[in-house]
Amino acid sequence: MEKKQIKIAVFVSGGGTNLQALIDAEKRGEIKSGKLSLVISNNPSADALTRASENGIKTLVISKKTEGSKEAMEEAMVRTLTENGIDLIVLAGFMCILSADFTRRYDKRILNIHPSLIPSFCGEGFYGLHVHEAALQKGVKVTGATVHYVNEVPDGGEIILQKAVNVEEGDTPEILQKRVMEQAEWIILPAAAELVSKKILEGKA
Ligand code: GRF
């Protein structure tokens, strides 16, 4: 029988508001080509784990600490993804840079959300509030978010979707971060997850 949905794993480390946006979009029927099937966290106290369990999604903690090294962590991830028949990985606030071995194995099968308009304010060191601090320091009037494929270059893979967000007078990094999440991240991440799932399902990616 032909597959009706691919299986998605979401990698998280923290609050999980982007995971929540994915869950909500799936509930609204906006993600229909993929099923949120597994959440992997490298942080045992990530709130994202609670969001996943409350919504009946299987969760696992796999980290350098639990496995002993980054290499062992990635091996455990590959094993788990294979055992669970995962077709697509979505990085939603996953605070660990994956090795080239890992990203090559899942070429065009890993998405990431980054809180700026790539190629601005991206790459190593640009994570969390640092991204918004840098945008404010530069004085840009427009920022936003980007969903891209993940390759061996941090934030360097092919761009899938972007959405612009205005910077406003008096913005602090925290205010800007919240606006970028609400007006861009939580919209384009689910949209990209559906777009890529559909392509995989139809054998077009
Ligand atoms: C988001 O800003 C995302 O763009 C970045 O990490 C943050 C994660 O937030 N990659 P959350 O855990 O989804 O709330």
Side-chain angles (χ1 to χ4, degrees), residues 12-20 48 51 91-95 112-116 127-128 132 145-146 177 180-181 185-186 189:
V12 296
S13 300
T17 63
N18 279 286
L19 170 67
Q20 190 67 53
R51 294 181 193 265
L91 308 184
F94 182 62
M95 305 302 269
N112 181 46
I113 176 84
H114 181 76
S116 77
Y127 60 89
H132 305 291
T146 304
Q177 179 182 51
V180 168
M181 283 180 157
E185 295 184 42
W186 301 343
L189 186 61

Side-chain angles (χ1 to χ4, degrees), residues 10-169:
V10 186
F11 285 18
V12 296
S13 300
T17 63
N18 279 286
L19 170 67
Q20 190 67 53
L22 290 164
I23 294 171
D24 294 345
E26 186 179 53
K27 283 191 183 149
R28 290 193 303 267
E30 290 165 17
I31 299 180
K32 47 185 185 295
S33 306
K35 182 162 176 45
L36 299 173
S37 307
L38 177 65
V39 168
I40 296 181
S41 176
N42 64 342
N43 168 13
S45 38
D47 284 340
L49 288 170
T50 316
R51 294 181 193 265
S53 338
E54 279 174 3
N55 286 279
I57 306 171
K58 179 173 171 181
T59 62
L60 279 172
V61 175
I62 303 178
S63 66
K64 286 182 216 167
K65 205 166 170 192
T66 60
E67 308 307 312
S69 68
K70 181 168 169 178
E71 217 183 359
M73 174 190 84
E74 290 188 346
E75 274 167 22
M77 285 170 165
V78 171
R79 229 177 13 250
T80 306
L81 294 168
T82 310
E83 279 167 11
N84 286 273
I86 299 298
D87 305 287
L88 179 67
I89 301 164
V90 177
L91 308 184
F94 182 62
M95 305 302 269
C96 179
I97 294 179
L98 294 163
S99 73
D101 272 352
F102 189 94
T103 58
R104 269 199 291 268
R105 178 186 272 265
Y106 296 101
D107 185 37
K108 293 277 172 68
R109 292 293 181 274
I110 315 177
L111 311 184
N112 181 46
I113 176 84
H114 181 76
S116 77
L117 293 175
I118 290 175
S120 291
F121 316 118
C122 65
E124 265 189 89
F126 285 100
Y127 60 89
L129 278 176
H130 298 306
V131 179
H132 305 291
E133 275 159 14
L136 290 175
Q137 199 168 6
K138 187 70 194 172
V140 294
K141 303 300 173 209
V142 175
T143 183
T146 304
V147 181
H148 61 92
Y149 285 115
V150 174
N151 65 10
E152 66 285 1
V153 182
D155 299 324
E158 188 187 320
I159 291 171
I160 301 165
L161 289 177
Q162 290 190 302
K163 194 165 187 293
V165 173
N166 286 335
V167 177
E168 285 169 19
E169 197 70 38

